[in-house]
Amino acid sequence: MSVANGREFLAIPGPTNIPDAVLAAMHRPATDIYSGDMLGITRTLLEDLPKIFGTTGRTYIYAANGHGGWEAAVSNVLSRGETILVLESGLFAVGWGEMARIMGVKIEVLKGDWRRAVDAAAVTQRLRADVGHEIKAILAVQIDTASGVVNDIPAIRGAIDAAGHPALFMVDCVASLGCMPFDMDGWGVDIAMAGSQKGLMTPPGLAFVAGNERAHAAHQKADLRTRYWDWTFRQGEVHYQKYGGTPPQHLLFALRKALDMLLAEGLDHAARRHALLAEATRQAVARWAEGRVLTFNVRNAAERANSVTTILTQDRDPRPLADYCRHQCGVVLGVGIGELSGKAFRIAHMGHVNAPMVFGVLGAVEMGLAALGIPHGKGGVQAAVEYLGREVRP
Ligand SMILES: *Cc1c(COP(=O)(O)O)cnc(C)c1O
């Protein structure tokens, strides 16, 4: 028996739920790419994206997914044979570093642990040892979507400054932009990148890279530059150049609508909404964990992300629960990836989410735990409801 009629609900950490208004914004004919509407959309997007990154630097828009954004960032500021330091806290910074390695950069991974955030003191220690300043850039993620860790970006900046090290600080905020504060200039981030399909509520296919003055100075001598990703080429006056070719028009129409929605809500409000819905999820998980099977992947509560929660299933395969939620309830959960493959599931609470969506997902998981006889503390959904009932006032 299944009660999964109607719209399937996507609770994976990207792509996320796309608002109907964003979908509708794409339902229009292609337009001229040299005049009219399209030029205005590009202009306002290039004004609004830096605001969302918190920078007065330039932002570039690529027809690409997050991996394309990674390549764009690396190729514009680094040269073959240079060394970079990658701060591990899950899958994604390491994946970004691996891409740089294949492009010809030497990488060193500062070993981390999938169950905790980057250790700022270890960053200072490693950089102090680099007396010759061989390390040219430091790569980190704000939220690691696999482990569910949130890194303290200002603390990492502080760690770099404590060592007096000049390396560029490069941050992936694919799974955090629009979901929690990010202040590129205020935090001293030199290059930040993101994708369209997570907190920004837009279909996959756009990547954004922002660079400050230090990043643009490094760009002048970077030898990994290629025509498609190249910032200098994209600064050209011709509209077509800003996209390295034909603009991905429909994705831009969608993004325009999504940013209108996000800015109308307000970035602070969106961050607070994510914090509340994430904590409601954690309240439910904490209750389920009383059954001694499920447990938070991230040990320290302060290091748990507000866009995704990763839940370990210990020695149980998480697939039957994910399958149950999907086929019996119509909710698609994320499963563990990388090191956590077969050992975890993930609940996204990222982007276009509200209380009934989160309650629905939590309810489906709790229903699955009961139906499959997986030991768990009862009342997870109730705990989430009570938490929001205390926190959200008229
Ligand atoms: C999703 C994600 C990426 C990769 O984005 P793709 O669009 O899948 O290439 C990179 N970094 C983080 C933190 C992500 O969550």
Side-chain angles (χ1 to χ4, degrees):
M1 181 56 203
S2 166
V3 289
N5 199 5
R7 184 184 282 201
E8 189 172 74
F9 187 77
L10 203 55
I12 64 174
T16 61
N17 194 29
I18 303 171
D20 288 343
V22 172
L23 290 172
M26 292 187 286
H27 198 115
R28 52 179 286 194
T31 68
D32 182 23
I33 57 176
Y34 300 104
S35 66
D37 230 21
M38 198 64 248
L39 306 189
I41 288 176
T42 296
R43 184 176 48 73
T44 62
L45 289 175
L46 292 177
E47 283 164 11
D48 287 346
L49 285 165
K51 280 185 214 157
I52 294 170
F53 277 112
T55 185
T56 56
R58 280 179 193 263
T59 300
Y60 301 87
I61 304 173
Y62 296 95
N65 58 20
H67 283 71
W70 281 350
E71 185 159 328
V74 167
S75 69
N76 270 293
V77 297
L78 293 171
S79 294
R80 232 162 246 99
E82 286 183 339
T83 299
I84 63 174
L85 183 66
V86 176
L87 309 182
E88 184 184 21
S89 60
L91 189 68
F92 287 92
V94 176
W96 190 6
E98 183 56 18
M99 176 179 267
R101 190 187 65 73
I102 291 165
M103 291 166 73
V105 172
K106 290 195 199 114
I107 71 164
E108 177 182 326
V109 177
L110 186 71
K111 274 306 281 175
D113 176 328
W114 276 51
R115 302 198 64 182
R116 60 178 177 79
V118 168
D119 175 4
V123 174
T124 302
Q125 196 184 15
R126 176 62 194 93
L127 294 177
R128 281 204 177 123
D130 181 33
V131 283
H133 295 163
E134 291 299 316
I135 295 169
K136 300 300 177 209
I138 297 159
L139 267 50
V141 293
Q142 189 175 27
I143 289 179
D144 189 286
T145 326
S147 61
V149 161
V150 59
N151 284 310
D152 185 340
I153 299 301
I156 296 173
R157 174 79 250 173
I160 299 168
D161 291 346
H165 201 288
L168 292 171
F169 188 26
M170 303 176 60
V171 178
D172 167 332
C173 20
V174 177
S176 50
L177 202 68
C179 307
M180 65 174 289
F182 189 75
D183 183 6
M184 179 165 160
D185 290 353
W187 296 351
V189 172
D190 298 302
I191 292 127
M193 57 74 56
S196 51
Q197 79 274 25
K198 299 199 180 169
L200 300 182
M201 309 179 288
T202 300
L206 295 176
F208 316 111
V209 181
N212 67 6
E213 272 175 31
R214 295 185 73 223
H216 282 86
H219 172 73
Q220 297 310 319
K221 49 185 178 32
D223 78 8
L224 284 174
R225 287 163 57 175
T226 58
R227 172 49 66 90
Y228 182 70
W229 305 118
D230 194 88
W231 288 349
T232 300
F233 179 70
R234 283 167 181 254
Q235 286 167 21
E237 279 310 306
V238 183
H239 181 253
Y240 195 73
Q241 280 178 277
K242 306 222 179 294
Y243 299 98
T246 302
Q249 296 187 313
H250 291 79
L251 292 175
L252 299 169
F253 300 149
L255 179 67
R256 184 60 270 163
K257 186 67 198 176
L259 296 192
D260 287 345
M261 291 172 70
L262 182 60
L263 294 171
E265 179 183 7
L267 293 172
D268 291 346
H269 191 280
R272 177 79 183 128
R273 170 170 56 85
H274 279 83
L276 288 164
L277 296 174
E279 184 54 31
T281 304
R282 293 188 286 257
Q283 294 279 325
V285 175
R287 196 60 71 80
W288 299 334
E290 290 165 9
R292 299 181 170 279
V293 172
L294 303 184
T295 180
F296 287 104
N297 178 52
V298 179
R299 293 179 199 272
N300 177 350
E303 298 175 353
R304 293 176 188 148
N306 283 345
S307 54
V308 57
T309 298
T310 301
I311 300 140
L312 298 181
T313 51
Q314 315 228 49
D315 50 5
R316 278 172 199 256
D317 184 350
R319 256 161 308 185
L321 178 65
D323 288 345
Y324 181 92
C325 288
R326 179 181 218 137
H327 300 301
Q328 268 67 43
C329 306
V331 169
V332 187
L333 296 178
V335 290
I337 56 172
E339 249 175 48
L340 297 181
S341 167
K343 296 178 183 164
F345 67 94
R346 295 178 295 160
I347 298 176
H349 25 81
M350 188 189 316
H352 188 57
V353 281
N354 61 20
M357 293 175 188
V358 169
F359 293 150
V361 172
L362 298 175
V365 172
E366 199 158 320
M367 180 177 156
L369 293 171
L372 300 174
I374 299 172
H376 63 285
K378 305 283 178 220
V381 177
Q382 186 64 27
V385 170
E386 284 171 9
Y387 167 76
L388 287 180
R390 285 193 301 276
E391 294 294 324
V392 180
R393 295 286 166 190

